[in-house]
Amino acid sequence: AAEQRYLQGLQLCPKDALSALAPMHNEMGSLYVAAGQHGDAREHFEKATQYFEKTGDRFHAGQTRFNLAEMYVRVAQTENQPSHQRDNLLRARAYAEAALRDFKHYEGRAAKDETNAIALLGQINQVLPKLP
C-alpha cells in the first residue's frame, strides 16, 4: 500500500519539482530496502541524490548516500561469495566516504551524521582486509 501511494505521489508531482521529488525517491529507496528489493532501492536512492544535488541540498544528498552505504553493507552480509561481499563493501565504502564529504561541508553542524559515517567506514574497513 505504501509503495502504491509513493508511486502515485511521484506520478502526480511535476517533473521539475525536484525538492519534492527527492524526498519521495529517498523514502521509496528505504521502502525497497525494507522489502529486500535492493536494485529498486538503489535506483530511487540515486535519483534522490541527483535531485538533492541539483537543489544544492548536500545534507540530504549525504543522508541518501549514507542510506546507500548501509544498504550495500547489508547486502554484503547476506552474500555467500567473498568476491561479492568485497564488491558490495567497496561500494558501501565509496558511498560512505561521499556522505562524509557532504556532511563535512556543513563544518560541524552535521556532526552526528559525520560520526555515523565515520563509524560505518570503520566497520567496513575492519571487514574488507579479512576478505580474499
Side-chain angles (χ1 to χ4, degrees):
E3 176 187 26
Q4 290 306 314
R5 296 207 189 249
Y6 280 120
L7 290 173
Q8 285 174 340
L10 288 171
Q11 289 174 345
L12 293 172
C13 194
K15 299 298 177 207
D16 61 348
L18 302 183
S19 59
L21 288 167
M24 283 193 265
H25 278 291
N26 190 42
E27 290 301 319
M28 284 292 293
S30 296
L31 180 70
Y32 283 129
V33 166
Q37 297 175 353
H38 300 111
D40 291 329
R42 180 192 50 78
E43 237 178 83
H44 284 282
F45 282 145
E46 286 180 357
K47 282 183 184 178
T49 301
Q50 290 170 1
Y51 294 159
F52 282 130
E53 283 182 343
K54 285 183 180 181
T55 61
D57 187 347
R58 287 188 70 176
F59 177 74
H60 287 102
Q63 286 186 322
T64 305
R65 285 184 176 107
F66 185 82
N67 291 343
L68 276 158
E70 285 187 316
M71 181 191 78
Y72 278 116
V73 167
R74 286 187 198 137
V75 170
Q77 291 169 342
T78 64
E79 287 289 344
N80 293 326
Q81 293 185 7
S83 64
H84 292 154
Q85 287 177 326
R86 181 174 199 73
D87 290 344
N88 283 303
L89 287 175
L90 289 171
R91 286 183 188 99
R93 183 169 66 186
Y95 279 113
E97 287 170 344
L100 183 58
R101 281 191 301 274
D102 287 329
F103 298 142
K104 284 188 176 198
H105 174 76
Y106 290 91
E107 301 175 341
R109 293 173 300 196
K112 178 183 171 196
D113 297 280
E114 283 184 49
T115 300
N116 291 340
I118 290 167
L120 186 59
L121 282 166
Q123 292 173 340
I124 294 165
N125 289 329
Q126 276 187 324
V127 175
L128 269 174
K130 297 175 186 174
L131 295 173

